[in-house]
Amino acid sequence: MPNILIIEDDTDINNSTAQYLRRHGCQCIQAFSGTEGQLLWKSSGCDLMLIDLMLPGLSGSELIDEIRRESRVPVIVLSARSELSDKVELLSLGADDYMTKPYQLEELWARIQVQLRHASTAPADEVLHFRDWQLNIVEMILTAAGQPVELTAHEFKIVELMVRRPKKVFTKQQIYEAVWQEDCAIEDKTINVHISNIRAKLRPSGTDSYIQTVWGIGFKLS
């Protein structure tokens, strides 16, 4: 029985979503502000979170940013903002999926099931290695030359993608589709910014040169 934390300040939306999910066998914890959601997340041990963006107290964006520094719990954003740039921004912060209001509860339930399946099939103790890198997949921890490197969820997934296939040259589109699980066209700067941030975080360990730019194509490990 999945335990789902709903953080939504619209009482009607929060209650109707919780009622629907309970009819499908879920346990639901309801929060009506970002601050309340933050407290319940830290105390509830939830399996998945539904988070609105425009919340009183702590905003949804701020909450997701905090969650991704500590946890891999699946996060689905619920928002009235429908611009592609908004969606890309939230996925970049570490949200796993995004639904625009008003949404159909049937589709929301389908997307929840997808995220729960992904979470349940994660390897128990998988650790990947590449040169002086060690990646703990479950805890989302990268250690570079013995130093812990703090990455966002999407930054970590980019590194993981490349380490799993260290000889492959990845195009920017391939990275985006694999990490964000979206097949829409992207601007080059989306991936460039993430790679630049990863390199900057790796620089103190002296391993930032492991990610090589293949001009006109994308990136690979060196």
Side-chain angles (χ1 to χ4, degrees):
M1 182 180 292
N3 188 5
I4 297 177
L5 174 56
I6 304 169
I7 308 175
E8 165 63 70
D9 64 324
D10 186 303
T11 303
D12 291 338
I13 293 176
N14 196 320
N15 287 337
S16 62
T17 301
Q19 290 169 7
Y20 181 89
L21 294 177
R22 287 179 180 125
R23 289 200 299 269
H24 284 76
C26 301
Q27 291 182 331
C28 293
I29 306 167
Q30 296 174 251
F32 298 89
S33 72
T35 307
E36 183 184 13
Q38 180 189 47
L39 293 173
L40 290 174
W41 159 58
K42 292 185 175 182
S43 63
S44 68
C46 59
D47 299 306
L48 182 141
M49 301 176 69
L50 304 176
I51 302 179
D52 182 26
L53 293 184
M54 304 301 291
L55 293 167
L58 193 68
S59 74
S61 299
E62 292 171 324
L63 181 55
I64 293 169
D65 185 52
E66 179 179 350
I67 291 166
R68 279 296 169 258
R69 290 198 297 268
E70 302 181 28
S71 173
R72 290 188 68 189
V73 60
V75 172
I76 298 177
V77 169
L78 309 174
S79 175
R81 289 161 52 182
S82 59
E83 294 296 324
L84 177 60
S85 58
D86 295 329
K87 185 174 183 179
V88 170
E89 176 188 350
L90 267 296
L91 293 173
S92 298
L93 273 178
D96 297 281
D97 203 350
Y98 186 110
M99 290 197 69
T100 303
K101 297 176 183 176
Y103 52 84
Q104 296 295 321
L105 290 169
E106 292 83 359
E107 182 182 357
L108 175 62
W109 174 231
R111 291 179 182 237
I112 288 172
Q113 289 176 295
V114 168
Q115 295 303 326
L116 291 174
R117 282 198 300 270
H118 287 170
S120 67
T121 57
D125 295 298
E126 186 175 9
V127 176
L128 303 179
H129 295 86
F130 177 80
R131 296 179 63 180
D132 291 328
W133 288 353
Q134 177 175 293
L135 283 78
N136 184 310
I137 303 303
V138 172
E139 297 182 6
M140 291 187 72
I141 295 174
L142 168 62
T143 304
Q147 301 180 28
V149 180
E150 292 190 8
L151 300 177
T152 68
H154 283 93
E155 290 167 357
F156 185 90
K157 289 177 181 177
I158 290 172
V159 175
E160 177 186 349
L161 175 70
M162 300 179 78
V163 168
R164 288 189 183 278
R165 301 186 67 181
K167 295 182 180 180
K168 178 177 173 59
V169 178
F170 289 92
T171 68
K172 295 171 186 178
Q173 187 68 35
Q174 287 172 333
I175 293 173
Y176 184 81
E177 290 176 2
V179 172
W180 278 263
Q181 298 183 352
E182 296 279 339
D183 59 4
C184 60
I186 60 161
E187 296 181 12
D188 284 355
K189 67 179 182 180
T190 302
I191 301 302
N192 289 345
V193 167
H194 279 76
I195 294 294
S196 177
N197 290 341
I198 294 169
R199 284 172 171 159
K201 294 176 179 181
L202 289 168
R203 199 162 292 128
S205 69
T207 66
D208 53 302
S209 62
Y210 286 11
I211 301 178
Q212 176 184 351
T213 300
V214 182
W215 296 109
I217 303 177
F219 302 94
K220 70 181 293 292
L221 292 186
S222 170

